[in-house]
Amino acid sequence: DIQMTQSPSFLSASVGDRVTLSCKASQNINKYLAWYQQKLGEAPKLLIYNANSLQTGIPSRFSGSGSGTDFTLTISSLQPEDVATYFCLQHNSWWTFGGGTKLELK
Amino acid sequence: EVQLVESGGGLVQPGRSMKLSCAASGFTFNNYDMAWVCQAPKKDLEWVATISYDGSSTYYRDSVKGRFTISRDNAKSTLYLQMDSLRSEDTATYYCARVNYGAYRGVMDAWGQGASVTVSS
C-alpha cells in the first residue's frame, strides 16, 4: 500500500505570510496528488488535483507542485479564511490520504 | 450546486448492523462512480469502498470486505453503505464522495459533511 506523510502536523502563520505544506508518498505516484481544505464541521473542499491543477473557483493564492514522491501546497499570502486543516490524497493507485496539516493564525 | 448529504449514522452495538445513505443532487448521479471514506477519531482518512457509475462493479478495502456493502439507486440519486458485523474499530465519521475520472483521473471532487457512527455497547 502507498503511504502518504504530511508535514508539518501543525503550522501557525500570520496573515500575508507565504505558507508551504508538504506531502510525501512512499512510492512514485506520478502527478496524481490532490489537496483538500477542511474547515470544522464542513465537507472537505478540493483545492488542487493532478499535483498542480487548480480546481474551479479556488483562489489563485493556492498552488500545488511536485511529482513522483514529493509534493507541495503553497498559499502565497495567507488570509484569515484559510484557517483549516489541509490534507493530501494520492489518486494514482486506489486512494490514500495524508494525516493532515492544521493551519492556524499566529 | 453539487450536494451530497449523508444520513443514517448514530450509536450501534458491536455485532449489529447500520445502513448509511447519501442523497446526491446538482449533478447527473449515474454518470459518476461514488465512494465512501471514513475517519476514525484521531486517525487519518481512509478509503472504504467504491462503486461504479452503473453499480456493476464494487471495490472494498480489506478490513471491510465481507462485512460492508456499497450500493446505489440511480433512480433516487442515492448511495448506500450497509455495514454488518460492526466492530468498535469501525467507529468513525463516514463521508460519501463523488469520484471524477477523465481529466481528474479519479479524484474525489465533491464530498458530503459526514455521518458519525459509534460502535459501542
Side-chain angles (χ1 to χ4, degrees), chain B residues 75-114:
Chain B
K76 295 183 178 179
S77 295
T78 302
L79 176 73
Y80 303 101
L81 185 67
Q82 175 69 43
M83 302 182 291
D84 298 325
S85 303
L86 281 161
R87 307 166 179 167
S88 58
E89 54 264 36
D90 296 321
T91 294
T93 298
Y94 287 78
Y95 298 93
C96 70
R98 186 177 78 172
V99 183
N100 197 336
Y101 287 99
Y104 285 80
R105 219 285 192 175
V107 162
M108 296 173 189
D109 69 340
W111 296 58
Q113 289 188 299

Side-chain angles (χ1 to χ4, degrees), chain A:
Chain A
D1 289 4
I2 299 173
Q3 310 300 319
M4 304 300 295
T5 303
Q6 284 188 247
S7 61
S9 298
F10 297 93
L11 180 60
S12 182
S14 301
V15 173
D17 281 355
R18 183 180 181 87
V19 171
T20 300
L21 310 181
S22 172
C23 183
K24 293 183 186 296
S26 61
Q27 63 191 74
N28 179 21
I29 59 169
N30 299 297
K31 66 175 184 176
Y32 301 117
L33 190 285
W35 289 96
Y36 296 83
Q37 176 192 71
Q38 186 175 24
K39 298 181 180 180
L40 203 60
E42 297 185 7
K45 180 191 296 185
L46 176 65
L47 303 175
I48 302 286
Y49 63 97
N50 293 346
N52 60 12
S53 296
L54 188 67
Q55 174 68 336
T56 303
I58 300 302
S60 59
R61 64 180 180 274
F62 291 93
S63 64
S65 63
S67 66
T69 60
D70 291 347
F71 300 85
T72 300
L73 174 70
T74 299
I75 308 173
S76 61
S77 178
L78 186 67
Q79 299 303 302
E81 60 266 30
D82 299 336
V83 169
T85 297
Y86 293 82
F87 60 89
C88 61
L89 165 70
Q90 70 81 15
H91 54 108
N92 180 68
S93 174
W94 302 100
W95 299 273
T96 315
F97 297 87
T101 295
K102 187 173 183 180
L103 178 59
E104 300 176 340
L105 282 181
K106 193 178 292 183

Side-chain angles (χ1 to χ4, degrees), chain B residues 5-119:
Chain B
V5 180
E6 299 95 340
S7 61
L11 175 65
V12 61
Q13 293 180 328
R16 304 297 290 266
S17 299
M18 177 172 278
K19 187 171 186 176
L20 303 181
S21 300
C22 172
S25 61
F27 66 101
T28 304
F29 183 68
N30 58 13
N31 280 356
Y32 291 88
D33 290 11
M34 297 294 295
W36 288 97
V37 174
C38 74
Q39 186 167 34
K42 301 192 186 304
K43 295 286 184 67
D44 296 352
L45 287 155
E46 281 189 337
W47 165 73
V48 175
T50 297
I51 187 167
S52 61
Y53 67 98
D54 61 356
S56 63
S57 298
T58 56
Y59 311 91
Y60 301 90
R61 69 179 300 108
D62 287 346
S63 61
V64 306
K65 279 180 186 174
R67 299 189 302 121
F68 289 12
T69 303
I70 187 171
S71 62
R72 65 192 296 161
D73 184 336
N74 284 345
K76 295 183 178 179
S77 295
T78 302
L79 176 73
Y80 303 101
L81 185 67
Q82 175 69 43
M83 302 182 291
D84 298 325
S85 303
L86 281 161
R87 307 166 179 167
S88 58
E89 54 264 36
D90 296 321
T91 294
T93 298
Y94 287 78
Y95 298 93
C96 70
R98 186 177 78 172
V99 183
N100 197 336
Y101 287 99
Y104 285 80
R105 219 285 192 175
V107 162
M108 296 173 189
D109 69 340
W111 296 58
Q113 289 188 299
S116 179
V117 173
T118 301
V119 183

